[in-house]
Amino acid sequence: MKLYVLGACCMLAVSATKAQTVPAAEVSRIISVLAADSLEGRGTYTPGIEKASLFIESEFRKAGLSPLPGVTDYRQAFATAGRRIIPADSAAFFPGARTLHNVVGMIRGTGRPDEYVIFSGHYDHIGIIESKGEDSIANGADDDASGITAVILLANYFREHPPVRSVIFAAFTAEEIGGFGSRYFSRQLPADSIVAMFNIEMIGKESKFGRNSAFITGFERSDFGTILQRNLEGSTFHFYPDPYPEQRLFYRSDNATLARLGVPAHTISTTQIDKDQLYHSVDDEVETLDMQNIADIIQAIAVSAQSIVDGKDTPARIAPER
Ligand SMILES: [Zn+2]
């Protein structure tokens, strides 16, 4: 009995320390901007997504992130021509090409700067859709303003905990219309230099396992999840394997391109995708989210990643898809 009481006391202490690091008020502030009606659901190619980009860039600047090597700002521009992805400098040769950009920043590693760990989410959503009552804005508070909020707050976290490996923070565009942003991003660095990718998608609500939990897609494909969980020993947080394998989420999110190249690239989520009535609706609003739970998840991701960003753990490569 005494041992049990001691254990509970220590676990409480761990969560109390964590709560101070990622404040729920910051989660609320950032999600509220990204999911505001004024951003009109962040549809790709709309003024709303441009507002989202400007906000993410300002947050990256505040966090002290550097642009990627060889460029001077956070915008990673490219263009699409139909289903093709083309470099922004050749867009002029493709009639109807449209220019897009990811928002990407980094913290250079103190010891192994040429090895990269990626934290990512997507900042687009589906924009204006068929109206329900007076509302026609698909705000995408969970999908994926919650993931971008995590990316921003992880940038702030790792500024305070300087990493040994370089850490890249990426907000992808055009996920909802074909994953164009992550597909372009994933080809800009040699896959061999990328140690791991933490893609974060829909962490706004409790997972089917309850508070203080999330699941990892493709858990069984590398030892990424096992490493993360080991780093959380002593806390009450738990990462589970994806409970919805029939949904093929592993290949439906922005981790897919790098995973196909063998990178241990996984998506962390809490979505109850099989029964979430708000998914891709006008009701995916800030008011439906649990800010403290999101803050706890972000904190858990930061702590669970520590041995990887510090170069002590290197997750096994994923078998490339044939
Ligand atoms: Zn999404």
Side-chain angles (χ1 to χ4, degrees), residues 244-298:
Y244 312 106
E246 70 286 356
Q247 298 267 358
R248 285 184 52 82
L249 297 175
F250 186 67
Y251 285 119
R252 275 176 56 190
S253 193
D254 285 319
N255 64 295
T257 301
L258 283 175
R260 287 196 168 99
L261 295 172
V263 176
H266 298 262
T267 292
I268 294 172
S269 180
T270 63
T271 181
Q272 298 196 40
I273 192 79
D274 57 338
K275 60 180 184 190
D276 185 349
Q277 300 293 319
L278 310 186
Y279 176 68
H280 282 195
S281 83
V282 299
D283 295 325
D284 182 3
E285 306 258 16
V286 164
E287 294 75 22
T288 66
L289 306 187
D290 180 338
M291 300 302 169
Q292 187 58 56
N293 195 44
I294 298 169
D296 292 344
I297 294 166
I298 297 169

Side-chain angles (χ1 to χ4, degrees), residues 122 143-144 175-176 201-202 280:
H122 70 89
D143 184 11
D144 187 26
E175 189 271 352
E176 301 284 3
E201 169 89 63
M202 300 179 73
H280 282 195

Side-chain angles (χ1 to χ4, degrees), residues 31-93:
I31 292 194
S32 298
V33 173
L34 290 168
D37 281 354
S38 60
L39 271 61
E40 299 182 325
R42 308 184 305 278
T44 301
Y45 308 118
T46 69
I49 197 172
E50 173 64 15
K51 289 182 188 172
S53 174
L54 290 169
F55 173 71
I56 297 163
E57 290 166 70
S58 71
E59 291 294 315
F60 277 10
R61 210 168 292 119
K62 273 195 329 199
L65 298 189
S66 307
L68 291 188
V71 294
T72 54
D73 65 24
Y74 301 129
R75 293 193 175 205
Q76 183 181 59
F78 61 99
T80 57
R83 304 298 294 171
R84 294 181 63 183
I85 296 174
I86 53 178
D89 57 0
S90 47
F93 301 108

Side-chain angles (χ1 to χ4, degrees), residues 129-145:
I129 60 173
E130 193 177 336
S131 63
K132 184 176 164 189
E134 292 187 349
D135 193 358
S136 59
I137 299 171
N139 302 70
D142 194 7
D143 184 11
D144 187 26

Side-chain angles (χ1 to χ4, degrees), residues 83-288:
R83 304 298 294 171
R84 294 181 63 183
I85 296 174
I86 53 178
D89 57 0
S90 47
F93 301 108
F94 291 85
R98 312 174 83 181
T99 304
L100 298 171
H101 68 269
N102 297 318
V103 185
V104 186
M106 67 176 284
I107 300 174
R108 188 177 157 83
T110 56
R112 299 199 209 170
D114 299 329
E115 298 177 11
Y116 297 94
V117 178
I118 297 164
F119 294 93
S120 61
H122 70 89
Y123 75 101
D124 65 305
H125 196 234
I126 57 174
I128 307 287
I129 60 173
E130 193 177 336
S131 63
K132 184 176 164 189
E134 292 187 349
D135 193 358
S136 59
I137 299 171
N139 302 70
D142 194 7
D143 184 11
D144 187 26
S146 66
I148 294 299
T149 300
V151 170
I152 291 169
L153 291 174
L154 287 163
N156 283 280
Y157 178 93
F158 284 110
R159 180 191 54 193
E160 301 298 325
H161 302 77
V164 173
R165 287 175 162 141
S166 292
V167 183
I168 293 177
F169 303 89
F172 298 130
T173 188
E175 189 271 352
E176 301 284 3
I177 60 168
F180 291 108
S182 61
R183 283 164 52 198
Y184 181 74
F185 169 88
S186 300
R187 303 278 178 184
Q188 304 312 305
L189 283 170
D192 288 351
S193 69
I194 303 172
V195 172
M197 177 195 231
F198 295 69
N199 187 56
I200 304 161
E201 169 89 63
M202 300 179 73
I203 55 165
K205 307 188 197 98
E206 279 186 26
S207 84
K208 71 176 288 185
F209 307 105
R211 294 180 71 85
N212 281 312
S213 73
F215 66 82
I216 296 174
T217 65
F219 195 102
E220 71 291 349
R221 292 170 190 261
S222 78
D223 57 355
F224 173 92
T226 307
I227 293 169
L228 268 57
Q229 192 58 43
R230 191 167 64 226
N231 289 332
L232 290 173
E233 263 173 33
S235 86
T236 52
F237 197 93
H238 201 87
F239 283 115
Y240 292 89
D242 174 7
Y244 312 106
E246 70 286 356
Q247 298 267 358
R248 285 184 52 82
L249 297 175
F250 186 67
Y251 285 119
R252 275 176 56 190
S253 193
D254 285 319
N255 64 295
T257 301
L258 283 175
R260 287 196 168 99
L261 295 172
V263 176
H266 298 262
T267 292
I268 294 172
S269 180
T270 63
T271 181
Q272 298 196 40
I273 192 79
D274 57 338
K275 60 180 184 190
D276 185 349
Q277 300 293 319
L278 310 186
Y279 176 68
H280 282 195
S281 83
V282 299
D283 295 325
D284 182 3
E285 306 258 16
V286 164
E287 294 75 22
T288 66

